[in-house]
Amino acid sequence: MASPSLSVPYALLPSLQQTHLIDDDDDPITVDRSIFSLSEKKLYEWKNILKGHVGAWCIGSSHGWIVLLDQNGVPFLLNSSSSTTINVPPIPLSFLHPVTYSYFTEYLRKTFIVKAILMCCASPSSYILAIIYGSNYKIAYCNSATWVELSHDKQSYCDIVFSNNYLYALTQDGFVEVWNICGQIPKRLILLTPTVEANYEEEKSYLEDNFSRNLYLVVCRRNLTGDKIYWEFYKRWKKMRSLHDKVLFLGANESVSMDAKACLGCEANSIYFTDDRWEEMTLDYMYGGHDWGVFNLQDKCVKSLMQCANRIDPPPIWVVP
């Protein structure tokens, strides 16, 4: 069956031919994947997308590139349109301390990195790949040749995005850090400490007691002029009751906001999300990857994109060209 255009966001899923519930790293079928077309609401088989990389595990997507770890835990980048691959240096052993590399490869490879994004479209000789990794949710980046760890105040992070060549990092406490990582030494330029609405703490307590939750940071393009407006915008976390003509794509992919009219088949004022609570997917043999769909802010309801009775392993991930 012919595949749809890859010019619009799609979800990357296990092969349609996969018969077992849990991804077998040694099974040749792992070089195949399927994609869910948002414009057609259909699944298509994508043969040999990971040709030469049996057992590779997807840890993120950004600028149309898919970020993966091979069976040895070594990262590489795959361009989904051109099939170009870029090899990335292995993760330093110091990042894995106190475990060994063999332990990481066998037991932690699929949960160790929770976010992986690119500064811009990559080339073999020039790219910056940033990750959130480890049980303490630290940040590191690779500038084409060398891995560098960001170390500041022992913070834990829940999301990262690039904008205008700066790295924006959202902490578990709801603070936003702005980093310049283009120089020889990374430098934190700004620490934003927004306040929250009065009833947020009550809502937060309710959510934490009843649901799994993740926090995301999305770049929103707005025509703001003047320093005063810029800083007023960042003084407070404000509840958004409408995204208007925008859609969000959230999950293990780079968090993205887009115009709905640019995404054929997408509903405006909606959040398209995938299951990225990877550390919870090993708690139950049947659970994994099911928490994905669309939340419409006007209707305040969640709709499933595809019915699936069995575990989805590997879990879905959005790819936004």
Side-chain angles (χ1 to χ4, degrees):
M1 181 179 295
S3 62
S5 168
L6 298 182
S7 61
V8 294
Y10 59 89
L12 190 66
L13 292 148
S15 168
L16 296 173
Q17 307 304 316
Q18 181 174 306
T19 57
H20 38 75
L21 295 180
I22 299 179
D23 198 26
D24 183 355
D25 293 341
D26 296 318
D27 190 337
I29 198 69
T30 58
V31 301
D32 300 333
R33 287 291 188 265
S34 64
I35 62 174
F36 180 80
S37 167
L38 279 174
S39 59
E40 301 177 53
K41 305 297 188 290
K42 290 174 62 177
L43 273 172
Y44 290 86
E45 184 75 354
W46 196 346
K47 302 291 289 185
N48 293 318
I49 179 179
L50 301 180
K51 185 178 181 180
H53 300 285
V54 173
W57 183 260
C58 183
I59 58 172
S61 72
S62 180
H63 293 281
W65 290 80
I66 302 169
V67 188
L68 303 109
L69 296 179
D70 67 16
Q71 282 189 307
N72 296 317
V74 178
F76 68 97
L77 310 177
L78 171 68
N79 186 292
S80 55
S81 297
S82 66
S83 298
T84 301
T85 59
I86 298 176
N87 295 321
V88 177
I91 298 169
L93 187 59
S94 60
F95 289 11
L96 309 179
H97 182 79
V99 306
T100 62
Y101 214 98
S102 60
Y103 185 92
F104 157 71
T105 301
E106 185 170 358
Y107 298 107
L108 302 178
R109 180 175 67 108
K110 296 182 178 181
T111 59
F112 186 75
I113 296 177
V114 297
K115 180 74 76 166
I117 65 169
L118 291 164
M119 175 176 284
C120 57
C121 292
S123 70
S125 60
S126 178
Y127 65 85
I128 293 183
L129 172 68
I131 62 173
I132 298 178
Y133 72 95
S135 58
N136 293 321
Y137 301 99
K138 301 301 182 183
I139 296 177
Y141 65 94
C142 181
N143 57 3
S144 303
T146 306
W147 281 99
V148 179
E149 183 181 31
L150 293 190
S151 179
H152 202 285
D153 297 335
K154 298 183 177 179
Q155 276 286 11
S156 293
Y157 301 88
C158 44
D159 203 3
I160 48 177
V161 293
F162 281 112
S163 181
N164 297 322
N165 293 333
Y166 294 108
L167 178 66
Y168 290 74
L170 177 64
T171 74
Q172 300 281 0
D173 299 324
F175 301 156
V176 177
E177 298 178 353
V178 184
W179 289 79
N180 180 359
I181 62 172
C182 293
Q184 291 186 338
I185 300 176
K187 182 179 181 181
R188 192 178 75 172
L189 304 177
I190 301 172
L191 173 62
L192 303 172
T193 57
T195 58
V196 296
E197 294 181 343
N199 62 346
Y200 171 76
E201 290 300 330
E202 181 179 338
E203 291 182 358
K204 178 183 175 184
S205 177
Y206 171 78
L207 291 171
E208 289 178 339
D209 291 342
N210 293 276
F211 304 97
S212 292
R213 71 181 187 96
N214 275 356
L215 300 178
Y216 301 93
L217 185 63
V218 181
V219 175
C220 183
R221 306 293 183 187
R222 289 175 178 265
N223 294 321
L224 300 180
T225 58
D227 292 340
K228 182 177 180 181
I229 296 177
Y230 179 85
W231 289 111
E232 285 289 327
F233 181 70
Y234 279 110
K235 271 186 179 181
R236 175 185 296 271
W237 287 120
K238 185 177 180 181
K239 181 178 289 187
M240 296 289 292
R241 303 190 183 278
S242 175
L243 297 174
H244 304 291
D245 60 349
K246 302 291 185 182
V247 293
L248 303 184
F249 290 92
L250 304 179
N253 58 288
E254 181 175 13
S255 304
V256 174
S257 168
M258 297 184 68
D259 289 328
K261 60 186 178 183
C263 304
L264 189 63
C266 290
E267 298 179 6
N269 197 26
S270 296
I271 299 172
Y272 288 76
F273 61 91
T274 58
D275 197 338
D276 59 352
R277 301 285 294 184
W278 292 348
E279 72 278 8
E280 296 178 359
M281 293 183 191
T282 57
L283 298 180
D284 189 301
Y285 185 77
M286 290 298 295
Y287 172 76
H290 292 125
D291 187 20
W292 76 296
V294 186
F295 175 71
N296 184 275
L297 273 71
Q298 180 175 343
D299 300 337
K300 294 183 172 58
C301 65
V302 174
K303 291 184 290 187
S304 175
L305 289 170
M306 185 187 75
Q307 296 298 321
C308 184
N310 296 323
R311 179 188 181 105
I312 306 176
D313 190 348
I317 185 169
W318 295 116
V319 180
V320 183

